[in-house]
Amino acid sequence: MTATRRPTLADVAREVGVSAKTVSRVLNEDGPSSPETRRRVLEAVAKLGFQPNLMARSMRVGGPDTTVGLVVPDLGNPFFGAVAGGIEDAVHGHGLTLLMGSSDDDPEREHALIRTFLARRVSVLMVAPAVGADHAHLKSHRAAGMPVVFLDRPGNGLTTDTVVSSNRAGTQEGVAHLIAGGHRRIGFIGDLPARLYTRRERQAGYRAALAGAGLPHDRGLVADAHDPAGAAEATARLLALPDPPTALLSGNNVMTIGVMTELSRSGRKDVAVVAFDDVPMAGILEPALTVVAQNPVTMGESAGAAALERLGGDRGRARTILVDTRLVPRGSGELPPPARTR
Amino acid sequence: MTATRRPTLADVAREVGVSAKTVSRVLNEDGPSSPETRRRVLEAVAKLGFQPNLMARSMRVGGPDTTVGLVVPDLGNPFFGAVAGGIEDAVHGHGLTLLMGSSDDDPEREHALIRTFLARRVSVLMVAPAVGADHAHLKSHRAAGMPVVFLDRPGNGLTTDTVVSSNRAGTQEGVAHLIAGGHRRIGFIGDLPARLYTRRERQAGYRAALAGAGLPHDRGLVADAHDPAGAAEATARLLALPDPPTALLSGNNVMTIGVMTELSRSGRKDVAVVAFDDVPMAGILEPALTVVAQNPVTMGESAGAAALERLGGDRGRARTILVDTRLVPRGSGELPPPARTR
DNA sequence: ATGAAAGCGCTAACAA
DNA sequence: TTGTTAGCGCTTTCAT
């Protein structure tokens, strides 16, 4: 971690025997400079390995930063990649650059990352909150004019623009789809921790659909996991029940991998499935996977648009933007329950 | 884009009626301060939404920043998400934070992003170069001690640590696998632009495998695309040839989606496929998809480790780290070619 | 417990 | 064509 002191403008100037400003001029092609001076300056720059300190520069020049800081729980989840893409689409034309970091769903890391962004004077802060994180400390920043937008999940302790999927209604629609197909026992495979906003909302949608159809809510049909392997186990467990579900609702894209892997492994093509959040190649599984598709790019674009309006001076009250999900029937959700004696 | 000037230490000091240093002391818990002063300062900080300017701070304090800047061509591609995850794993324990931005595979945006990172004095710069980008301008930074690492693709005009997959050998192995299965006409679906490093390397591996088996290289069996839809079209085109391929090598994860979608759509379960780069749920397609798996997490970890060594003072010559790929036979690559009269 | 002055590295503004 | 002064926002050093 050792670092020899980096040479400064003044060092170069001394080496050449000119003033710092002259060196600055040569380097930035600012005012005029004699070819001779220019040559000697460049020579000294190379010799000393001088490297301008952009921080000092931008401190002097001032001007607002042009960065949007985005904190996500997981860089590896394509959902957040897509959201980030949407944000970029929205803000890039306005001269803003998106910088993204991961909290790993850890409140402390999220806080550290936010501090990093704030200290670097991002002009917008976007956060997909980690479970259990608190955001009251952002109040003053927001009050001072820095747009703060929550994505995918609401924040805690701060009222500000928030962009979320229609988790509850979407899941409800997916489960209703299964019920309409004749299913009466429908399993729910959710992610952990169970208090995660999206998990809660989706499970609420699941219950609402059951209630809407007058079906009982059997807690034994609700299973948890935090990775594909766990989801696979949970799936196997539900299907091994004495009175097993004939259909499953997979709570997110990660769970879906495990659910589908287990169904494939056990050769159970008779179990109907609806998955929340679309996945690549869902259409070519056999049967093709019916999903409640989210629209992550639109979510990012909405967040970007909201931030731009705030930057434009809009001080109206915080909005919650609900981005619609869409039921995409492809086959797995249309499997009828096996005939059974009543 | 209006932004009210952000309050400074001096603003807070004025508000409270103390000196800037006192505010600084309270905020940094430096010297002592009376409870009363402390309270009033914090109040003013909250009221004004003061946010310390870390740029100014670190300018005064000196010392390198604790950020790793990563530039990738596409935030939406899970491959880069996984690489980023690997980098984080490697550097987080050393107090470094990863910040990531997208160049959208545009050299100008890449350059702008790099400048953004440099201006923030990142302590490490990692780049998955955009096609056509030049990196000679980073020479002085590297010389000044800032580690620069290229990922997935080599840079141009700068010799530095580089982490890439064994694209050529991996593809060669994949194609050899098909040849060993009896295939003689093997199509290659590559991404665009064709001069992209990974594309060139993989195609070279394809040719090497053909040459190694004494098979002719029929340029008519090589097709290009830049998205799944294009890959689907390319697949259909190849299969409609008078003397069509009996097997396909898909050049990357994005192409694979299109290739598999087209095979599914046309019901062609008789075409053998090997895909470069693993994809989620490859194992549950029918037939299951044989892949040449990359190891993006390891790539990220290697890059992180290399950077840490450089930060530790290693000034040895630039290394190129080749991360092995692995052939994962799952079924689609083991389909025999249809019997044919000779 | 608090403040004043100097300075981190750079560049605008104004000389010369 | 080049130099001088001042100051960006903060922290260090030394007073008070």
Side-chain angles (χ1 to χ4, degrees), chain A residues 179 183-184 206-217:
Chain A
I179 294 172
H183 295 275
R184 324 228 67 197
Y206 162 77
R207 295 185 62 154
L210 295 179
L215 293 175
H217 176 248

Side-chain angles (χ1 to χ4, degrees), chain A residues 65 120-121 141 269 286, chain B residues 51 65 120 141 269 286:
Chain A
D65 188 272
R120 277 133 200 283
R121 320 244 91 163
H141 300 271
K269 300 216 174 192
E286 300 181 14
Chain B
Q51 175 53 47
D65 186 87
R120 275 136 204 280
H141 296 266
K269 299 217 172 191
E286 299 180 18

Side-chain angles (χ1 to χ4, degrees), chain A residues 75-76 100 102 104 109, chain B residues 66-73 79-101 117 123-128 147-152 163 295-308 311:
Chain A
L75 291 174
M100 179 176 172
S102 166
D104 206 25
R109 285 181 66 170
Chain B
T66 57
T67 307
V68 175
L70 169 65
V71 183
V72 300
F79 172 79
F80 292 112
V83 170
I87 297 171
E88 284 224 304
D89 291 348
V91 304
H92 183 248
H94 296 257
L96 294 172
T97 301
L98 179 67
L99 254 36
M100 180 177 174
F117 279 134
S123 49
V124 175
L125 189 61
M126 298 194 181
V127 184
V148 178
V149 181
F150 289 125
L151 269 165
D152 188 48
V163 179
N295 211 331
V297 174
T298 300
M299 293 177 73
E301 288 168 347
S302 302
L308 288 172
L311 281 179

Side-chain angles (χ1 to χ4, degrees), chain B residues 255-333:
Chain B
M255 298 299 102
T256 299
I257 292 171
V259 170
M260 300 310 287
T261 299
E262 171 57 20
L263 292 181
S264 168
R265 191 200 59 75
S266 58
R268 294 295 301 269
K269 299 217 172 191
D270 59 321
V271 180
V273 177
V274 171
F276 195 96
D277 201 11
D278 207 353
V279 294
M281 303 203 286
I284 62 179
L285 297 177
E286 299 180 18
L289 182 60
T290 292
V291 303
V292 176
Q294 294 193 83
N295 211 331
V297 174
T298 300
M299 293 177 73
E301 288 168 347
S302 302
L308 288 172
E309 285 177 37
R310 296 302 183 184
L311 281 179
D314 176 0
R315 294 288 181 126
R317 50 173 294 183
R319 278 162 298 184
T320 292
I321 299 167
L322 212 61
V323 176
D324 279 345
T325 54
R326 186 171 48 96
L327 179 69
V328 183
R330 293 195 179 114
S332 72

Side-chain angles (χ1 to χ4, degrees), chain A residues 58 214 232 235:
Chain A
S58 79
T235 302

Side-chain angles (χ1 to χ4, degrees), chain A residues 140-164:
Chain A
S140 58
H141 300 271
R142 189 175 116 85
M146 187 186 67
V148 177
V149 182
F150 290 125
L151 269 166
D152 188 48
R153 316 165 181 180
N156 292 304
L158 175 69
T159 303
T160 189
D161 298 330
T162 302
V163 180
V164 294

